Amino acid sequence: MRHGKYPFVIGFLFAPVALYVTFVIWPYAQAFQISMTNWRGLSAPQWVGFDNYRRLLDDGAFWKAVQHHGVLLLALPLITIAIALFFAFLLNVGGKSSGGQRQGVWGAKFYRVVFFFPQVLAVAIIAVLFQMVYRPNESGLINGVLMKFGLEPVLFLVKPNLALWSIIAVLVWQAVGFYVVLFSAGMASIPGEIYEAAEMDGATKVTLFFRVTLPLLWDTLQVAWVYLGIAAFDAFAIVAVLSVDGGGPDGATTVLAMEIYRNAFVYSKYGYASAMGVALFFLTLTFAALTLRLTKRESVEY
Amino acid sequence: MNPQSTLPPTPAALPPKTGDPSAPAGPGSKGPRSEVKLFSGLGHVALAVWAVIVIVPILWTFLAAFKNTSEIFSSPWTLPAELRWENFGRAWTKAHVGRYFLNSVIVVSCSTFLTMLLGSMAAYVLARYKFWGNRAVYFLFVSGLAFPVFLALVPLFFVVKNLGLLDTHTGVVLVYTAYSLPFTVFFLAAFFKTLPSSVAEAGMIDGCGHSRLFFQVMMPMAKPGLISVAIFNIIGQWAQYQLPLVLLSNAKDKWVLTQGIADISVNAGYEADWSGLFAALTIAILPMIIVYAVFQRQIQAGLTSGAVK
C-alpha cells in the first residue's frame, strides 16, 4: 500500500476539500466577522464590535422569533415522537405473536408506506398545499367542510394565536411517518424473546410499551429528539411560504431564519443578519449539547 | 382530527409498580384480554384516521386540479364535473412548471452525482489511509453537520457572487454539493471502514493502482451504502428552498421547482387561477409519489439508516 500513497491521497482529497472550504467553512468563518460590522453592502464594512448583538437584545422581532423556537422546540418533538411511538408500537408489536415472531397489526405495511409519504415531498410544496387546505373560505379543505355544516370558518393562518399551531400541525403531519419508520427500525432490533418472557409474566401491551419497548429504544429516541430539535430551529421554508406575509400575521409565526433572510436580502442589513445567524448557531449548539447531556443514561444491553 | 386523544395512557395511569418484575399485571386473564382488544381497536382507528389525514389533502389537490375556479369555490368536496386537462397545460407552459421541473432535475442530478463522487472519494481516503492530518480533515467535514445553513447565508451569497456564479445552475450545484458533503463523508467513511481489507490487498497484489482499486473494487463493494446516501441527498436537494431562493433570485428561468411553485401560489391569488395552482401542485407532487411508491423500501431504509446503526 506504500507506493504512491501521498499523491493519491492528495489527489482524492483536493477537490472535495477545496469545494467544502470555499462554500461552507469560509462563509461560516466570515459570518462571525461580518456580525461585528455595520455592513450594508454598498460601502466598506466598518467594525462596530458587539453593537449588533446589543441591538438584538432590544429587537422585538428577534425575541418573538426566539420565543417561537421555544414553542416549536417543545411542541414539535413531543407531539411528533408521541404519535410516532404509538404508531410504531402498533405496527411492530401491536398484533398477535406467532411462533416467537412479533407482528404488527393488520395492514401494518400499508400504513408504514402511506405515513412516510409526506417525507418525500419538499417542505415548500407542502406549505403551498396547506395554504389551500387552510384557506379561510369555502374553497379551503377544512373550512369547506365546516361551512357545509353551517359552522364558522376557522382562520387558521390569520388568527395570531392560532397561526403558529397551524404551522406546527403541518410540520407534525410531515414528520410523523419518518419517525414511525425510524422507531420501527429500532424496535425490530429488540429480540422477540424479551417480549415473550414479559408476556408470560402477564405483562399487558401497555406494560410492554412502557417497561420494555421504551427503555430499549432510548438511543433512537435521543436521535429523534435531536433531529426534531434541529428542525425546530430551521422551519424557514414552511414559515416563508405558508404564513401570512412571511412570519405574520404581525410576526406571530416568525422564526430566526425568516428574520435573517428578511434583514439580509430585503433590508440589506448584512451585519445585523449575521449577528442573528451567530445567535441561531449558539442556540442550536446549546440545544444539541443540552439534549445529549440530559438524556444521557446507561444504554440497556441486550 | 386530533390523534393525541388516542395516545396510550401516561405512566401515572399504569398499575402501581410492584417490586418484583415477574408479578402478573392483572389478577385474572380476563382483564388483560379485554384491554388488548380495546387497545388494538383504538389502535386501528388511530392508524386509519392518520392515513386519512395524510392522504386526503393530496387526493383533494389532485381532484381540484381538474376543476375550474367556480367549482373549487362552490363544491370543494365533490368530484370535478369534467376532466379539465387544460389546467395542466396552463400550469406547464404559462406558469412554467415544466421548466422549473426540468431545472430541478438538472440541478439535483448534477449535484447528487458530484456529491457522491467527491464524497466517496474523500470518505474512502479518510477511512482507509493513514496520513498526517487525516483526523483534522475528517473533523473539518463532520463539523459541518452541526452548523445551521442560515448562519452562512450572507457570506455564502457574496462568495458565490464574487465567483461570478450567482444566478447560475453551476453555482447552485457546487453549493448543494458542498453542503451535502458533511453527511456524505460522515456516513460513507463509517461504511468504507467496515469493508474487508483482504479484497483490497488481493487487488494490490494483482497490480491494481490506488485509483483503480477505488473505482473497480471498493465502489462496487460499497454499493448499498452509496445508494442509501444518494437517496438521502436526492431527497434533501430536491426539497431545497432557501439556497435557490438566495442564489437564483434574479434568474427566473433558472428557478427550481420549490421556488417556482411557491411563486405560483402567490400569483394565483392575483390572477384568480386557483385551478392552475392545483394543477401545478399536482405536477410537483405526483412524480414524487410514483417514484416513492416504486422505491419505497430503499427510500425508507436510505433515509433512516443514518440514524440507526
Side-chain angles (χ1 to χ4, degrees):
Chain A
M1 294 282 269
R2 288 291 96 100
H3 180 70
K5 189 176 90 174
Y6 275 97
F8 170 73
V9 166
I10 292 167
F12 259 39
L13 276 182
F14 181 77
V17 171
L19 195 71
Y20 182 66
V21 169
T22 310
F23 291 108
V24 182
I25 298 296
W26 176 230
Y28 279 130
Q30 274 185 300
F32 289 93
Q33 196 198 341
I34 296 174
S35 76
M36 302 279 195
T37 70
N38 63 357
W39 194 30
R40 310 227 21 194
L42 294 170
S43 52
Q46 275 178 323
W47 187 262
V48 294
F50 285 94
D51 262 16
N52 287 325
Y53 294 95
R54 238 167 266 141
R55 273 173 54 210
L56 269 186
L57 297 178
D58 297 325
D59 185 342
F62 171 77
W63 286 111
K64 241 179 188 171
V66 171
Q67 200 188 321
H68 295 152
H69 283 297
V71 176
L72 277 166
L73 209 49
L74 277 179
L76 184 61
L78 270 179
I79 300 173
T80 308
I81 290 178
I83 298 175
L85 255 184
F86 176 54
F87 286 155
F89 185 71
L90 283 173
L91 295 180
N92 289 283
V93 286
K96 288 190 283 283
S97 64
S98 62
Q101 276 291 89
R102 302 296 315 176
Q103 279 181 341
V105 295
W106 185 83
K109 241 185 114 184
F110 167 78
Y111 288 125
R112 209 170 303 167
V113 173
V114 169
F115 289 1
F116 194 81
F117 171 66
Q119 196 65 36
V120 297
L121 299 180
V123 184
I125 307 273
I126 289 176
V128 176
L129 176 77
F130 272 87
Q131 261 185 355
M132 304 289 106
V133 171
Y134 283 153
R135 279 179 63 78
N137 51 36
E138 68 273 18
S139 71
L141 179 106
I142 300 173
N143 283 322
V145 182
L146 292 180
M147 290 168 84
K148 274 264 143 64
F149 289 107
L151 295 167
E152 282 287 300
V154 180
L155 306 177
F156 290 101
L157 299 166
V158 186
K159 258 195 162 163
N161 50 4
L162 193 62
L164 188 63
W165 290 101
S166 304
I167 284 175
I168 291 174
V170 179
L171 290 171
V172 171
W173 181 86
Q174 192 199 19
V176 161
F178 176 82
Y179 293 95
V180 167
V181 173
L182 186 70
F183 296 151
S184 296
M187 286 178 189
S189 62
I190 299 174
E193 301 93 66
I194 296 184
Y195 286 109
E196 205 85 332
E199 263 184 349
M200 277 220 257
D201 292 342
T204 61
K205 286 265 154 59
V206 181
T207 324
L208 279 185
F209 178 80
F210 283 104
R211 300 251 195 276
V212 180
T213 308
L214 214 50
L216 292 179
L217 213 61
W218 195 253
D219 286 346
T220 314
L221 280 176
Q222 197 181 357
V223 169
W225 193 276
V226 173
Y227 277 15
L228 282 162
I230 288 170
F233 275 116
D234 184 358
F236 173 74
I238 188 125
V239 168
V241 179
L242 182 57
S243 68
V244 187
D245 46 65
D250 195 25
T253 57
T254 196
V255 289
L256 279 174
M258 194 67 228
E259 292 304 316
I260 293 171
Y261 178 81
R262 203 197 310 273
N263 275 295
F265 300 103
V266 180
Y267 308 140
S268 299
K269 292 183 188 166
Y270 298 118
Y272 192 57
S274 291
M276 272 187 188
V278 174
L280 176 61
F281 167 70
F282 281 112
L283 282 175
T284 314
L285 214 62
T286 310
F287 160 76
L290 270 181
T291 308
L292 293 177
R293 181 133 282 250
L294 290 179
T295 58
K296 199 177 170 191
R297 63 185 222 186
E298 291 293 300
S299 61
V300 187
E301 296 276 333
Y302 55 87
Chain B
M1 287 289 275
N2 183 6
Q4 275 174 284
S5 57
T6 52
L7 286 176
T10 52
L14 285 174
K17 188 183 179 183
T18 48
D20 180 10
S22 64
S29 60
K30 206 183 158 205
R33 187 155 300 166
S34 68
E35 185 211 25
V36 166
K37 264 199 179 144
L38 182 72
F39 184 80
S40 64
L42 281 177
H44 276 295
V45 172
L47 287 166
V49 166
W50 192 262
V52 167
I53 293 174
V54 168
I55 293 172
V56 162
I58 295 156
L59 216 58
W60 175 75
T61 306
F62 291 171
L63 286 179
F66 289 103
K67 296 177 177 179
N68 59 26
T69 302
S70 75
E71 265 184 298
I72 288 172
F73 276 86
S74 60
S75 43
W77 272 90
T78 52
L79 291 171
E82 51 176 309
L83 296 180
R84 292 188 182 78
W85 291 99
E86 67 267 21
N87 294 341
F88 289 92
R90 226 167 44 247
W92 188 263
T93 51
K94 201 178 141 256
H96 310 299
V97 175
R99 184 189 297 158
Y100 299 146
F101 201 97
L102 190 68
N103 286 341
S104 270
V105 171
I106 293 172
V107 167
V108 172
S109 48
C110 289
S111 56
T112 301
F113 173 78
L114 199 61
T115 305
M116 295 315 295
L117 180 70
L118 297 183
S120 57
M121 278 161 58
Y124 173 68
V125 167
L126 291 171
R128 298 191 73 99
Y129 286 81
K130 274 193 192 129
F131 57 91
W132 186 86
N134 181 315
R135 291 286 84 188
V137 176
Y138 177 75
F139 283 119
L140 187 72
F141 275 117
V142 174
S143 66
L145 283 171
F147 296 147
V149 179
F150 267 91
L151 171 58
L153 211 53
V154 174
L156 177 68
F157 173 81
F158 285 99
V159 166
V160 175
K161 193 180 173 187
N162 293 339
L163 289 170
L165 294 172
L166 207 59
D167 297 325
T168 66
H169 281 164
T170 317
V172 175
V173 167
L174 292 178
V175 170
Y176 278 12
T177 305
Y179 280 85
S180 304
L181 281 177
F183 179 78
T184 307
V185 170
F186 171 70
F187 185 98
L188 287 179
F191 200 86
F192 277 122
K193 270 200 186 116
T194 64
L195 296 181
S197 55
S198 53
V199 182
E201 276 157 20
M204 276 293 182
I205 292 165
D206 289 347
C208 208
H210 290 287
S211 318
R212 234 185 101 193
L213 188 70
F214 172 70
F215 286 109
Q216 293 190 341
V217 179
M218 297 314 260
M219 283 278 255
M221 281 210 299
K223 213 168 149 194
L226 291 174
I227 290 174
S228 285
V229 184
I231 290 170
F232 182 90
N233 284 324
I234 290 170
I235 292 180
Q237 293 173 359
W238 185 267
Q240 251 313 325
Y241 178 65
Q242 63 230 26
L243 288 174
L245 192 66
V246 169
L247 299 177
L248 294 173
S249 58
N250 291 319
K252 211 171 173 177
D253 57 322
K254 302 236 170 64
W255 280 7
V256 296
L257 194 61
T258 46
Q259 255 179 309
I261 298 284
D263 185 62
I264 293 169
S265 86
V266 176
N267 290 333
Y270 300 129
E271 298 169 12
D273 187 7
W274 295 108
S275 49
L277 174 59
F278 278 110
L281 264 178
T282 304
I283 298 173
I285 292 173
L286 199 57
M288 294 310 281
I289 297 197
I290 294 168
V291 172
Y292 170 64
V294 174
F295 297 106
Q296 43 97 4
R297 284 180 124 233
Q298 289 91 323
I299 291 176
Q300 290 194 354
L303 276 190
T304 48
S305 60
V308 186
K309 292 157 282 174

